[in-house]
């Protein structure tokens, strides 16, 4: 029996979610986003599950790519970075694809002798204003690298700032910007769509889609239903370690933030902010105890949190608690805590044991 806090991952859910991407974007290749340790799900495990079904993977840091290369031989893209000759050499050694997001990087690449040519993804800034070139710079970088001997392949890419917005107009403008700039330079494979655009903007699918969060079971548009509904891959679980009855006016936890009105039943759960549960979770944040909804009562501490279980049936020490996962979407917990599933997933700490059940049968 797992006796404290643990993560349980569902390979079936992961594969189902990839299948949803496949159905929504049947004509595009899939570049699965595995940055930040597969959004906290374990990059090695995610890569092994997805490798036979996705056409490539992408990460944000060289050390992530180095680690993944030990078990993944397919197309592996390193996202926008500060480039120097050492990094270019390393990319060539590891046969990584590389995002070129400014003209200086394109020039450096053109001037650097490499053991083998690199496949490059040129990035156009379409409105996010973090990385990427203007249309004019993009054209220059394209012409410099297009037939250059250091380049084995070229893609055109951009990244949306507002794809999950109900108001579609800005994303449509951003789609137009990449298409117009790219078309003027010739027939080059295009990539724009993150998860929200995979779901809500079919016109953005192009040649490569780049889903991240939807693979892990969160639908940023909150619109997929039925067979297409996504399934949570990460289940963050813990157990009740103590129970007590409080009388009217009694407080719970540090500074007794929460006070009982009337007689209440409180459960103490073996999870805290040192496990990655947000410390700023307010009273009322939902958790599941034995699969039933209850809510946080009192400040989350380092190793423990407290839950009002007065409305539930019998609760005993050892009972299972779901902090997020099947039955309680991380996005919903995030809404209470002023954050998003992405942040919750990537902040679960190392002391939390990971379980990867074999559901391959
Ligand atoms: C993280 C990332 C994505 C995936 O975004 P999701 O919202 O998780 O689908 C796509 N493209 C780029 C460049 C990214 O950095």
């Amino acid at each position: 029996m797992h006796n404290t806090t643990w993560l349980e991952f569902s390979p079936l859910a992961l594969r189902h979610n990839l299948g949803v991407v496949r159905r929504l974007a049947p004509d595009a290749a899939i570049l699965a986003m595995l940055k930040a340790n597969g959004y906290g799900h374990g990059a090695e495990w995610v890569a092994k599950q997805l490798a036979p079904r996705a056409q490539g993977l992408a990460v944000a840091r060289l050390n992530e790519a180095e680690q993944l290369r030990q078990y993944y031989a397919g197309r592996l893209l390193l996202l926008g970075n500060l480039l120097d000759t050492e990094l270019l050499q390393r990319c060539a050694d590891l046969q990584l694809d590389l995002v070129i997001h400014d003209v200086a990087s394109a020039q450096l690449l053109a001037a650097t002798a490499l053991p083998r040519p690199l496949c490059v993804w040129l990035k156009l800034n379409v409105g996010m204003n973090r990385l990427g070139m203007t249309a004019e710079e993009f054209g220059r970088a394209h012409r410099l690298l297009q037939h250059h001997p250091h380049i084995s392949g070229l893609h055109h890419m951009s990244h949306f700032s507002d794809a999950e917005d109900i108001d579609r107009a800005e994303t449509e403008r951003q789609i137009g910007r990449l298409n117009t700039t790219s078309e003027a330079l010739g027939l080059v494979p295009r990539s724009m769509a993150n998860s929200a655009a995979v779901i809500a903007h079919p016109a953005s699918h192009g040649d490569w889609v780049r889903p991240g969060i939807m693979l892990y079971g969160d639908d940023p548009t909150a619109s997929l239903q039925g067979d297409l509904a996504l399934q949570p891959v990460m289940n963050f679980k813990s157990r009740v370690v103590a129970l007590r009855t409080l009388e009217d006016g009694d407080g719970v936890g540090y500074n007794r933030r929460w006070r009982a009105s009337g007689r209440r039943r409180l459960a103490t759960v073996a999870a805290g902010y040192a496990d990655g549960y947000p410390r700023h979770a307010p009273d009322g944040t939902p958790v599941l105890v034995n699969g039933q909804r209850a809510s946080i009562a009192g400040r989350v501490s380092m190793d423990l949190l407290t839950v009002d279980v007065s409305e539930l049936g019998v609760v005993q020490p050892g009972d299972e608690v779901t902090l997020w996962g099947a039955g309680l979407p991380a996005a919903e917990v995030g809404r209470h805590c002023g954050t998003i599933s992405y942040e919750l997933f990537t902040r679960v700490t190392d002391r939390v044991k990971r379980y990867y059940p074999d559901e391959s049968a």
Side-chain angles (χ1 to χ4, degrees):
M1 181 176 106
H2 314 320
N3 65 359
T4 51
T5 318
W6 72 98
L7 288 177
E8 221 170 86
F9 294 95
S10 167
L12 288 180
L14 182 59
R15 281 183 247 141
H16 165 83
N17 298 337
L18 187 80
V20 172
V21 177
R22 188 29 76 236
R23 283 169 62 191
L24 292 172
D27 301 322
I30 299 174
L31 193 75
M33 305 310 274
L34 265 73
K35 59 201 188 196
N37 195 27
Y39 288 46
H41 291 63
E44 176 176 355
W45 176 75
V46 175
K48 284 179 176 160
Q49 297 298 318
L50 297 186
R53 301 167 181 90
Q55 286 66 54
L57 310 177
V59 293
R61 302 280 187 262
L62 181 65
N63 63 353
E64 297 182 303
E66 287 173 336
Q67 201 207 347
L68 267 180
R69 255 300 171 246
Q70 294 170 26
Y71 15 81
Y72 180 70
R75 184 185 288 272
L76 182 52
L77 174 67
L78 178 62
L79 295 169
N81 267 276
L82 186 61
L83 295 186
D84 55 27
T85 51
E86 207 177 311
L87 183 61
L88 290 176
Q89 293 287 349
R90 199 74 191 109
C91 287
D93 290 341
L94 293 167
Q95 301 198 34
L96 304 182
D97 284 24
L98 187 63
V99 171
I100 295 289
H101 61 88
D102 60 13
V103 175
S105 300
Q107 287 164 338
L108 182 69
L109 176 54
T112 304
L114 295 172
R116 65 170 71 82
L118 285 177
C119 184
V120 158
W121 299 56
L122 292 181
K123 186 162 192 178
L124 180 73
N125 174 22
V126 291
M128 176 89 90
N129 289 317
R130 298 185 313 191
L131 295 178
M133 293 173 265
T134 65
E136 185 272 324
E137 293 165 341
F138 191 88
R140 271 200 282 151
H142 172 93
R143 283 185 288 274
L144 177 62
L145 297 180
Q146 187 179 21
H147 302 299
H148 198 283
H150 296 170
I151 303 302
S152 60
L154 204 59
H155 297 74
H156 287 169
M157 73 177 288
S158 57
H159 190 42
F160 295 119
S161 58
D162 295 73
E164 72 289 356
D165 204 315
I166 306 276
D167 180 359
R168 308 173 57 81
E170 178 57 24
T171 298
E172 283 163 12
R173 275 193 292 277
Q174 295 187 2
I175 293 171
R177 286 180 196 130
L178 185 73
N179 282 338
T180 305
T181 306
S182 179
E183 264 157 34
L185 297 168
L187 262 187
V188 175
R190 284 177 214 163
S191 175
M192 303 177 228
N194 58 3
S195 298
V198 167
I199 298 163
H201 293 275
S204 74
H205 290 174
D207 299 285
W208 286 87
V209 291
R210 304 192 308 268
I213 198 68
M214 71 182 294
L215 296 173
Y216 307 103
D218 184 16
D219 170 1
T221 67
S223 66
L224 293 174
Q225 287 174 355
D227 288 358
L228 292 174
L230 301 171
Q231 299 171 5
V233 178
M234 176 192 287
N235 295 282
F236 191 12
K237 295 198 170 179
S238 187
R239 288 195 190 277
V240 173
V241 289
L243 284 141
R244 71 199 65 250
T245 301
L246 270 63
E247 302 300 337
D248 189 46
D250 286 350
V252 176
Y254 287 112
N255 313 115
R256 292 165 296 138
R257 179 181 76 183
W258 185 89
R259 305 286 168 110
S261 50
R263 183 166 242 234
R264 306 299 289 177
R265 189 92 175 129
L266 266 285
T268 304
V269 175
Y273 61 79
D275 300 296
Y277 193 87
R279 179 177 178 274
H280 51 277
D283 295 335
T285 304
V287 302
L288 301 180
V289 179
N290 297 324
Q292 295 174 284
R293 280 188 178 240
S295 56
I296 297 280
R299 206 154 260 154
V300 172
S301 47
M302 187 180 283
D303 309 314
L304 298 167
L305 54 80
T306 41
V307 177
D308 180 357
V309 294
S310 311
E311 315 303 327
L312 273 50
V314 180
V315 177
Q316 295 179 312
D319 284 357
E320 193 172 290
V321 174
T322 298
L323 302 168
W324 60 71
L328 179 58
E332 184 182 341
V333 175
R335 273 193 295 282
H336 284 265
C337 301
T339 185
I340 52 177
S341 62
Y342 302 64
E343 188 180 33
L344 296 177
F345 291 158
T346 54
R347 287 205 166 180
V348 178
T349 59
D350 282 348
R351 80 174 186 184
V352 178
K353 251 193 105 95
R354 272 76 169 158
Y355 292 94
Y356 294 98
D358 183 10
E359 294 175 6
S360 53

